Amino acid sequence: RHVAVIMDGNNRWAKAHGLGGSAGHRAGAEAARELVFSCADRQIEYLTLFAFSSENWLRPNKEVKGLMALFLSVLRRKEIRQMHERNVRLQFIGNRDSFAPRLLKNMLEVEQLTKHNTGMVVTVAADYGGQRDISQACRMIATKVQQGHVNPADITAEHVQQHISLGEAPAPDLCIRTGGERRISNFLLWQMAYTELYFTDCYWPAFNDASLQQALADFSPR
């Protein structure tokens, strides 16, 4: 029902092809678009993409600016309309405080455009960190305790689930990470407590429909 993806390896793919880092991120954006359609074709209900982690702000300033510009251009392209026409709902999770007003405007426009769609839900995690997600949920619960709405003795995992990002969605069944690393990098820490993990050496821009099928085939007998 739910596939999560850590899209890693854009820079290494570009370097291997003698290209600049921006070319790798552009190719990665195309791979993400194709993945959305591949998952929709397979009737996967939820797809969550790790696009930009809170740690990514530590990258060189030029690269961060390039990523933001690419993010903005993707949100303004016809592919968003194509997803809308296919009944896909797009939403974003993560901290939006550091994004430029124009980018925030486009993110909201995309969410408003697709919010009534009833097909696959595509969630883009941007400036997202799993530890921050959990701590925010705890702060919201603490506020309710202070206000007398919740008894501390009654707090359960379900309370956190109600305040965590993607709390209304089923937990990811499968998490795919490209690029050869074998870690989850602070992604959906609460949500992936029982998620099956699939790691591939394939760089993200080279990940295609056949790659997805291979991941699903690996997952199926588990």
Side-chain angles (χ1 to χ4, degrees):
R1 297 184 64 196
H2 187 174
V3 175
V5 184
I6 301 172
M7 305 180 293
D8 192 22
N10 289 347
N11 284 329
R12 283 170 288 163
W13 178 89
K15 185 176 181 180
H17 288 78
L19 302 170
S22 60
H25 293 311
R26 283 195 299 272
E30 294 298 325
R33 180 198 65 179
E34 293 304 317
L35 180 68
V36 169
F37 295 136
S38 292
C39 287
D41 289 341
R42 290 172 171 81
Q43 284 81 53
I44 291 171
E45 298 172 50
Y46 297 86
L47 174 65
T48 303
L49 303 172
F50 202 7
F52 190 85
S53 74
S54 50
E55 290 79 13
N56 282 151
W57 293 109
L58 301 176
R59 293 188 176 194
N61 187 52
K62 182 179 179 181
E63 182 179 356
V64 171
K65 286 184 176 179
L67 275 168
M68 293 299 100
L70 175 64
F71 202 11
L72 183 62
S73 69
V74 167
L75 291 178
R76 299 173 67 179
R77 278 169 22 186
K78 64 181 180 181
E79 284 83 356
I80 298 296
R81 288 282 176 183
Q82 291 175 346
M83 292 179 194
H84 178 46
E85 290 167 1
R86 292 192 61 167
N87 200 30
V88 171
R89 178 157 64 95
L90 284 149
Q91 62 182 16
F92 300 89
I93 58 172
N95 176 29
R96 304 190 188 192
D97 294 345
S98 299
F99 291 145
R102 187 169 57 161
L103 180 55
L104 285 173
K105 177 175 178 289
N106 281 31
M107 290 166 71
L108 288 171
E109 287 175 350
V110 166
E111 288 179 322
Q112 288 296 313
L113 174 68
T114 64
K115 71 177 182 178
H116 296 301
N117 291 348
T118 57
M120 183 174 69
V121 178
V122 176
T123 303
V124 178
D127 195 4
Y128 174 87
Q131 293 175 336
R132 183 178 186 275
D133 193 5
I134 295 170
S135 63
Q136 276 191 316
C138 292
R139 281 197 296 271
M140 286 187 277
I141 295 170
T143 298
K144 290 186 176 181
V145 170
Q146 288 179 325
Q147 294 172 344
H149 300 311
V150 176
N151 184 339
D154 296 333
I155 294 174
T156 63
E158 284 69 30
H159 284 91
V160 180
Q161 181 69 23
Q162 292 167 11
H163 296 86
I164 205 82
S165 297
L166 303 181
E168 76 291 347
D173 302 289
L174 171 65
C175 178
I176 299 169
R177 179 169 187 148
T178 62
E181 302 293 350
R182 303 292 193 268
R183 58 178 182 267
I184 59 174
S185 296
N186 200 21
F187 182 43
L188 302 180
L189 296 181
W190 177 272
Q191 299 87 336
M192 294 205 301
Y194 292 98
T195 298
E196 295 288 337
L197 306 178
Y198 175 82
F199 301 107
T200 174
D201 292 332
C202 173
Y203 295 143
W204 174 247
F207 193 88
N208 56 24
D209 186 78
S211 307
L212 173 63
Q213 186 56 46
Q214 186 174 353
L216 295 176
D218 181 88
F219 166 80
S220 293
R222 295 190 191 186

